[in-house]
Amino acid sequence: MSRMIQKPFFVFNPKSYLFGEELLALAKVADELVATKDIRMFITVPYGDIDRISRNTKHVIVTAQHISGIKPGRGMGQVLADSLYEAGARATFLNHAENPLTLSELINSMERAKELGMTTIVCADSVKEAQTIASLTPDIILCEPTELIGTGKTSDDSYITTTNEAVKSINEDILVMQAAGISTAEDVYRTMSLGADGTGCTSGIVAAENPEQMLRDMVDAVLEGVEGIK
């Protein structure tokens, strides 16, 4: 693996809802939280904002929303991992439902990330897909039924526990993220208390009346959920 990521962790995934100064303001809040709490924080950043967020934060893990499996050279319109790494990205999402990859594309992109030392967060829809991806040894697998993304409806208990166990049975060092439909701090607490290593959120934060407070509440819920299973 590119590096060992400690748990628990939280992924703030603004997708294309936030950019520029508005995103930077929340990134600084996230940076402050990581500096004062025992949690790791990934922020998925639009390509054009990676340098800005990286230069203005110290503790969050700046994360590309995707990389292509190409090396420097030809590849017009592709996403060059080397360029994003130089801009400050230290992790990447891969195979998200909004940007799915074939198996060969996924393998190539993972290899490029590993060559650069970037943490890989790879998305899986089903238990079988999670098991297949686990054999490729990503750092983190996001187990998230596609049909629940953005619905506010979370995965049921059996999906969470089954996918957790399926991944760990193949490689116990892979961290499991469960984040389907997360929209409240209560959802975060429940997910973590069921044994996830981390979780994350998009619309529950960006659409909140007070996104900064929601981010703070969700981070606290991660820690409370972990404490609740000790």
Side-chain angles (χ1 to χ4, degrees):
M1 293 190 181
S2 54
R3 59 176 169 171
M4 186 62 70
I5 297 296
Q6 293 179 306
K7 55 183 183 181
F9 63 88
F10 186 82
V11 178
F12 172 36
N13 184 20
K15 296 183 179 177
S16 296
Y17 290 99
L18 299 179
F19 56 90
E21 291 299 322
E22 193 173 9
L23 176 58
L24 178 58
L26 272 178
K28 287 181 175 179
V29 172
D31 208 47
E32 169 200 321
L33 290 170
V34 178
T36 57
K37 298 178 183 289
D38 186 21
I39 191 169
R40 265 51 59 191
M41 175 89 73
F42 296 84
I43 301 182
T44 64
V45 179
Y47 306 132
D49 287 294
I50 287 175
D51 179 69
R52 179 205 301 258
I53 300 300
S54 177
R55 285 188 288 104
N56 287 281
T57 57
K58 295 180 179 179
H59 307 289
V60 297
I61 302 170
V62 178
T63 305
Q65 297 183 0
H66 170 76
I67 61 169
S68 302
I70 62 168
K71 293 186 176 182
R74 296 183 63 176
M76 183 70 172
Q78 298 292 310
V79 184
L80 180 63
D82 308 67
S83 175
L84 299 189
Y85 186 89
E86 188 164 319
R90 293 296 179 266
T92 184
F93 258 73
L94 292 170
N95 199 45
H96 192 276
E98 295 174 13
N99 197 353
L101 299 175
T102 65
L103 182 59
S104 62
E105 288 171 336
L106 176 58
I107 291 171
N108 289 338
S109 293
M110 287 181 66
E111 285 301 314
R112 291 273 36 235
K114 290 179 180 181
E115 287 169 6
L116 292 166
M118 297 174 73
T119 296
T120 50
I121 305 173
V122 182
C123 302
D125 178 30
S126 64
V127 175
K128 287 186 177 180
E129 189 173 26
Q131 290 174 315
T132 299
I133 290 172
S135 69
L136 304 178
T137 64
D139 296 296
I140 298 169
I141 294 181
L142 166 53
C143 298
E144 186 175 56
T146 300
E147 67 271 15
L148 297 183
I149 296 173
T151 65
K153 181 180 179 181
T154 58
S155 302
D156 60 34
D157 291 8
S158 63
Y159 176 89
I160 292 175
T161 56
T162 300
T163 49
N164 286 349
E165 292 168 1
V167 171
K168 299 294 186 180
S169 69
I170 294 173
N171 188 331
E172 62 182 12
D173 291 330
I174 296 173
L175 300 185
V176 181
M177 176 182 172
Q178 302 279 356
I182 297 293
S183 58
T184 67
E186 289 74 20
D187 292 336
V188 170
Y189 177 86
R190 168 181 163 270
T191 298
M192 296 305 298
S193 67
L194 286 169
D197 296 312
T199 188
C201 184
T202 297
S203 56
I205 295 173
V206 301
E209 184 175 343
N210 186 334
E212 177 181 326
Q213 188 58 51
M214 180 61 77
L215 180 60
R216 293 180 184 278
D217 290 346
M218 286 187 172
V219 166
D220 285 341
V222 168
L223 298 173
E224 290 165 4
V226 171
E227 187 64 29
I229 60 176
K230 288 182 178 179

